[in-house]
Amino acid sequence: MHRLAEIPRLFKPSTLPQAWERDNVEVLAARRRIEIHQSFLTALPDFGLPGAILDTEGQKLVDIGDAETLPALFTLPPENDEGIAFAGTGRRLVILINLRRSWPGAPEGVGWLALMLDRAFIGKTTGATLTNSEYELLSCLLVGLELKEAAARLDASYDTKRKQLQIIFQKMEVTSQAALTRTVSIRLMSHFIESFGRRQHVPAEITLLRRQYGRDVLIHAVALENGTQLPVWEFGDRRGKPCLFFHPLLSPTVLSDDKIGLLRENGLRWLVVPRFFAPGTAEATADPLRALEDHADALADYVAHFVGAPVTCVATSAGVSWAVFFAKRYPTLVERLVIAAAPFPSSLAPETAGDSLQAALAGALRQRPGVLAALVRAFAPIARSQKLAFRAYRHAYRNAPADLRTIASYAEHGHALEWLKLIADRASASVVTDLAVNHRDWLADAADLSLPITLLQGEEDTMCPPAIMRHVAAGLPTARLKVVPDAGHHLAVSHFSLLANVLKSPENAIAPNTLDETFSTPVLAAAPEGRLPQSS
């Protein structure tokens, strides 16, 4: 964790190109693993067991749960009619399931599923409560060892294990070793065949959304002209001003306690298309520009046919690149753009932002493409642990008191960490796409817009400091900037009342092409070669 603090010093400044570069081998491999893991968690039921997904040769592709003790390579059984076999690792029993038989939609290259079966699971499935020693003996027998071989492996005498086997016979209500292995195999097979027959009726994100908002959210599945269905979540005043929200990386909603009341009070119809769960962006792609185009086209179809009027685009942090691209591609569908806490523009040199983590990552990703693969590998384990996620949150914003207060509220209410874990489990491929899209120079796209732009930036924002945004506003003819006191990068959460007020009435923002007069900030000249000039 402490290494995060060193990122700004490890990489030299750089300016990102406008053109996209294809990912290196490491990044593509990381994307592939995430795509497989996400497909598994989305298409199949939760078995509640640690394990791994194997390729057709038995090589481990992806860990499932806490399964780091599994070997990297399994010796696969010969083909059989059941498509199920047993293997051992240490003194633990592992079941091997042929996914090409059980999962018709398995991604290419996926062969087997290895799941670790502990003593409690065996007891639950077979109806027999075994001691740990009995479980270890049964595991040896199921993988094909004779009783003498099992005794030797378990460092016990043959007579001891022969007597123990008789006790297992009684518990399983059988009279022979062959009947024992057959009975246990059949019961386990029946359990997993039934499990594969189950399907996820309600997506996990909908379950969490309902638990968080109840009847205060309308959930739509909008059929588009291309035949896909676009998920749309609607909050606030159903007849109010339409505001299309482009969410940040770590949560598809604004986690403000008073959000619903403020939306209704200000007459705002808050529309969210969660790109993590939307077609086109929910798959890992090596082409972020294509992801941007597909998502923008889907949004345009929805706005044109189901909203019926231009929308106000509202974006925060990682959502900014998506919102600016949509506004540029479909200017007639956008009335106004409001950015609450912009990310660091990748076209600026990282040294202009001091110790900004986003600025350092922008430079690192440009200089060393392998950094993206490292981020991808680190994201899921951290996000799935609430303790690690909370520590990572606090470390990233350790120099922003306002953000630390917001993060403390996340821990208190739990929803932010729940969304983070859900995204890691169900939408990690979308996170990869988001990281790549944030590599894009959103500032260049914003410079092409002729519509009104409102910029709200926290005075304590350490990801993209106010000085950077003053420079940004100076270079955008239609921009309005307000630096918000006692606010950080999580401004949209901590100051949602201000955001709602600005959305309600454009006059609540300051005049076009000026900076926030409250702070008497000078207008800066354009930065040469992407660097921030010194103010006079």
Side-chain angles (χ1 to χ4, degrees), residues 22-340:
R22 292 195 63 82
D23 293 322
N24 65 6
V25 175
E26 285 186 64
V27 176
L28 291 175
R31 288 178 184 276
R32 179 61 177 157
R33 288 192 294 270
I34 285 177
E35 182 184 41
I36 291 171
H37 192 213
Q38 181 176 322
S39 297
F40 174 82
L41 292 173
T42 302
L44 299 179
D46 181 8
F47 295 104
L49 298 167
I53 299 173
L54 314 178
D55 65 14
T56 54
E57 303 298 323
Q59 186 76 35
K60 184 164 64 172
L61 295 174
V62 179
D63 282 317
I64 300 170
D66 185 16
E68 295 183 357
T69 57
L70 285 178
L73 179 66
F74 279 84
T75 300
L76 297 178
E79 289 289 336
N80 57 59
D81 294 335
E82 293 81 11
I84 290 179
F86 297 100
T89 172
R91 297 190 175 189
R92 303 290 294 278
L93 180 64
V94 175
I95 188 169
L96 298 175
I97 303 172
N98 190 331
L99 288 177
R100 308 311 299 183
R101 293 173 177 265
S102 306
W103 183 13
E108 184 179 354
V110 169
W112 292 77
L113 173 64
L115 295 173
M116 298 176 69
L117 310 182
D118 60 17
R119 181 164 58 93
F121 181 84
I122 294 294
K124 177 183 176 182
T125 308
T126 63
T129 302
L130 303 178
T131 66
N132 190 60
S133 180
E134 291 166 351
Y135 160 78
E136 292 176 351
L137 176 57
L138 177 62
S139 299
C140 290
L141 298 177
L142 286 172
V143 300
L145 297 182
E146 296 295 334
L147 185 57
K148 288 184 179 180
E149 295 173 315
R153 174 174 292 188
L154 298 173
D155 298 322
S157 69
Y158 173 76
D159 286 339
T160 298
K161 289 305 174 184
R162 183 173 57 82
K163 293 176 182 178
Q164 194 172 63
L165 182 58
Q166 296 301 315
I167 298 174
I168 298 175
F169 285 170
Q170 295 175 12
K171 291 183 177 182
M172 293 288 184
E173 299 180 346
V174 296
T175 58
S176 68
Q177 185 174 326
L180 173 64
T181 56
R182 183 172 60 252
T183 298
V184 175
S185 298
I186 289 174
R187 291 177 184 175
L188 290 173
M189 286 173 53
S190 298
H191 172 82
F192 285 105
I193 290 172
E194 180 184 354
S195 297
F196 274 98
R198 296 197 302 267
R199 287 293 178 264
Q200 302 285 348
H201 298 294
V202 180
E205 66 271 15
I206 301 302
T207 300
L208 179 54
L209 193 69
R210 288 292 191 197
R211 181 155 52 84
Q212 184 177 354
Y213 291 104
R215 296 184 178 181
D216 289 328
V217 58
L218 287 180
I219 301 173
H220 310 287
V222 179
L224 303 179
E225 289 183 348
N226 63 8
T228 62
Q229 287 194 334
L230 189 71
V232 180
W233 304 343
E234 185 173 346
F235 307 85
D237 186 347
R238 311 302 184 210
R239 298 183 180 180
K241 175 187 290 187
C243 299
L244 185 59
F245 179 57
F246 292 78
H247 59 76
L249 177 66
L250 303 179
S251 171
T253 67
V254 173
L255 300 169
S256 174
D257 291 339
D258 53 356
K259 178 178 73 175
I260 302 300
L262 287 169
L263 290 173
R264 291 171 177 167
E265 178 183 328
N266 288 278
L268 302 176
R269 182 187 180 194
W270 191 261
L271 304 169
V272 181
V273 176
R275 60 184 181 274
F276 292 154
F277 311 108
T281 55
E283 297 84 24
T285 173
D287 187 355
L289 181 58
R290 179 181 174 185
L292 277 166
E293 291 172 342
D294 290 347
H295 191 60
D297 293 346
L299 292 178
D301 193 351
Y302 167 68
V303 172
H305 293 93
F306 295 93
V307 179
V311 298
T312 295
C313 289
V314 189
T316 182
S317 196
V320 171
S321 290
W322 299 84
V324 173
F325 184 86
F326 175 71
K328 179 181 177 180
R329 191 171 176 88
Y330 292 100
T332 61
L333 297 180
V334 181
E335 178 182 65
R336 184 170 165 229
L337 175 63
V338 176
I339 296 176

Side-chain angles (χ1 to χ4, degrees), residues 255 401-411 488 490-491 493-495:
L255 300 169
D403 283 325
L404 289 176
R405 289 193 294 272
T406 302
I407 292 168
S409 71
Y410 289 166
H490 292 253
L491 178 152
V493 177
S494 63
H495 290 67

